[in-house]
Each structure stands twice: as C-alpha cells, then as structure tokens.
Amino acid sequence: MSISARARHSGFDDVVGNASMERLATGYSFIEGPVWHPYEKWLVFSDIPESRMYRRSPSGEIELFREPSHKANGNTLDRRGRLVTCEHATSRVTRAEPDGTVTVLATHYGDKELNSPNDVVVATGGAIYFTDPGFGRVEFYGVPRQQELSFQGVYRIDGDGALTLLADDFAQPNGLCFSLDESRLFINDTERGHIRVFRVETNGDLNGGAVWAVIEGTEPGSTDGMKIDSRGNLYCTGPGGIHVFDASGELLGVIATPEDCANFTFGDEDLRSLYIAASTSLYRLRVRVPGLRLF
C-alpha cells in the first residue's frame, strides 16, 4: 500500500520520503511496544488484550515469544541488550535475563502498587525511566481494579534498584524519549494531547516540563508512542498517524497509517525501517533518516 502523508514543511520529504508502506502481519487484537535488537536482528512486540508477546525473526517469521505476558505494553532494551518490559496486569517493570529468568525491577511506590507501567527508555548510564498512567486498570487494555496511587507519574529506576518519582503532574503520561545528547527527556500526555520537555540533571532528576509541542487532528489516534531519529527529529503517534517534528518542535508532517497507530520503532540493518504497531496489524515503512541503536 502506498503511503498517504500530509506534509506541512518542505523538510518532511527529506526525513520520511515517499516509500510504500507494507503490511507484514495482521489478525492481532491491539499491538504495542515494538523493539528492535540491533545485533540479533529480531523485533519483539506486544498484543496487550491477548496477553502475548511475539518475535519476528531476521527471516521474517513471527512466533509466540511470551505467554502470558501479563498484558505487557512498552518494551525496550537496556545497555546490555536485555529486554525491559512494562506489564499492565501486574503493575510491574521487569527485565529478561540471558538465562531466561525474569527479574522484577519495580512494583510499588512506597506502600502503594504502581498504576500500570506503560512505556520505558534506558539512559546510557543504565538508569531506567518509565511512565505510569492508569490505562492498564481498565477492561481490554488491562485488569479492572481500583488505582492505589492518587496520581499518574514518571519514575526512574537506578542501578541499585532504587525507585524515584520524577513527576506527578501529568494527566496520563505515556510515550517518552531522550534528546540525542540525553540532556533532555520528552514525555507526552495522552489525555492532554501534548509533549513536554524536561532537563535531565547530572543525578538523573528532571527539571522544567514546559509544553514542547501540541498534537492536533480530528482523525482517530492518540498521543502515545514516541521516538527520536539520528538527526534529532521527533516522531509521535497522534490523530491520523505518526506526527513528525524537527528538533525545534516544528511539525514537518504526518505519516498517515491505515489503522490507529499506538507505537513504532526503527529497525533493520540501516535503522531506516519504521516498524509500526497499528491496532490489528504490523506495518513497515522505509524512511530516509535512520533511527538510533538502543545499545
């Protein structure tokens, strides 16, 4: 299928191009959290309602990777290539070890259970940052249950396992990504439909939080998954597809997706393939500017 893109800036074609979008697989309930291993060349993604995770091999075959996944959502790789996963049903952040065991990294803030960890990134030094909205406590996306915390926060897990609350003034924090030099952390808010930017201090804390960009549109789609490419352009899902901003926050254009898109990641040998998790299907689109390796 050919890409339908709405360019608002002449630089959009230089970043995205005009390649055709291909559907790689379909028949899922609602997929999320795609992550690409830059050396082993596999892609892992989550089907939240079905409580399954799948892996696409270098040859293109897709197989069941983990079941139950505890309604896993976001995934990433740490600096040692270990898979870090946010689980809606258990309110946990976990890490898969090389021997196949799973290490639980976070479950509670104080004496209260986390809401439902959603998306996650890892800093160069190894600290893990994740968002904790309430989406995993409702039907379909999680397990209906009362929320114990009175806020929806953003957290950091340090190497010693300590959990630090970094921000608690979001309505529903969701996607997040670092700037190229990791001096800033971008975090979006699904309910408010905008992206905020924070300064990352030397100790890993966050300061600031001004609105950096507003995601607008009348088509289906929400502010959700977010990534940055190797030139500093920021991609974020939203109404109609994936909204692409340059490093200054100017909207370059929107990649229109055939289905409601929740998340995506850069992959393949040159990191110029955008793997798109769009509701029931997995798509791939070749772009001009490559993404970044996770480690």
Side-chain angles (χ1 to χ4, degrees):
M1 63 191 69
S2 60
I3 176 175
S4 175
R6 300 193 306 277
R8 298 195 181 181
H9 190 281
S10 59
F12 184 72
D13 186 62
D14 293 335
V15 175
V16 175
N18 57 2
S20 295
M21 186 180 297
E22 56 180 322
R23 188 168 67 182
L24 301 175
T26 192
Y28 305 104
S29 290
F30 188 85
I31 58 174
E32 248 277 18
V35 59
W36 171 261
H37 196 294
Y39 305 108
E40 297 180 6
K41 314 302 180 188
W42 47 252
L43 180 84
V44 159
F45 58 96
S46 307
D47 188 334
I48 299 176
E50 300 301 324
S51 197
R52 295 171 180 161
M53 292 169 65
Y54 293 90
R55 183 166 70 174
R56 186 176 189 269
S57 70
S59 64
E61 297 176 352
I62 296 177
E63 62 182 6
L64 186 63
F65 175 71
R66 182 183 296 172
E67 185 182 24
S69 69
H70 306 296
K71 294 188 180 285
N73 188 341
N75 301 285
T76 193
L77 300 172
D78 70 9
R79 298 295 164 159
R80 293 169 55 184
R82 297 175 295 185
L83 185 68
V84 179
T85 298
C86 294
E87 299 177 356
H88 275 187
T90 59
S91 299
R92 305 188 309 183
V93 179
T94 64
R95 183 182 64 217
E97 306 298 344
D99 64 1
T101 60
V102 174
T103 299
V104 177
L105 302 176
T107 61
H108 288 71
Y109 178 65
D111 62 350
K112 292 181 171 54
E113 190 176 57
L114 294 171
N115 301 326
S116 56
N118 186 287
D119 210 351
V120 58
V121 293
V122 180
T124 298
I128 298 169
Y129 292 72
F130 70 94
T131 54
D132 188 41
F135 300 131
R137 289 177 175 262
V138 298
E139 195 66 52
F140 189 74
Y141 297 107
V143 177
R145 61 205 192 277
Q146 190 68 33
Q147 186 169 308
E148 297 183 12
L149 291 167
S150 61
F151 58 87
Q152 291 71 239
V154 179
Y155 298 85
R156 184 186 73 243
I157 306 171
D158 290 318
D160 61 0
L163 180 67
T164 301
L165 175 64
L166 301 173
D168 62 0
D169 60 344
F170 283 82
Q172 293 289 0
N174 200 323
L176 69 174
C177 65
F178 285 106
S179 61
L180 289 177
D181 62 2
E182 296 189 15
S183 66
R184 297 182 296 166
L185 182 65
F186 299 93
I187 310 172
N188 65 47
D189 192 316
T190 298
E191 185 171 316
R192 294 171 179 160
H194 60 216
I195 302 169
R196 297 170 62 186
V197 61
F198 294 81
R199 184 173 68 254
V200 183
E201 304 296 346
T202 55
N203 65 353
D205 287 349
L206 302 182
N207 271 311
V211 173
W212 183 79
V214 177
I215 310 295
E216 298 178 306
T218 58
E219 303 93 333
S222 302
T223 309
D224 198 332
M226 192 160 63
K227 302 287 188 300
I228 197 167
D229 70 15
S230 57
R231 199 182 290 173
N233 301 300
L234 187 147
Y235 290 56
C236 183
T237 66
I242 301 172
H243 297 231
V244 183
F245 298 85
D246 68 12
S248 71
E250 182 174 2
L251 179 64
L252 300 180
V254 179
I255 302 170
T257 54
E259 303 177 58
D260 184 359
C261 173
N263 214 329
F264 55 90
T265 194
F266 292 92
D268 287 346
E269 188 72 34
D270 58 4
L271 296 175
R272 286 181 49 223
S273 288
L274 201 63
Y275 284 92
I276 300 168
S279 297
T280 69
S281 306
L282 177 69
Y283 296 89
R284 180 170 58 188
L285 172 71
R286 295 287 291 168
V287 295
R288 297 190 190 277
V289 178
L292 297 171
R293 283 184 170 82
L294 291 178
F295 70 102

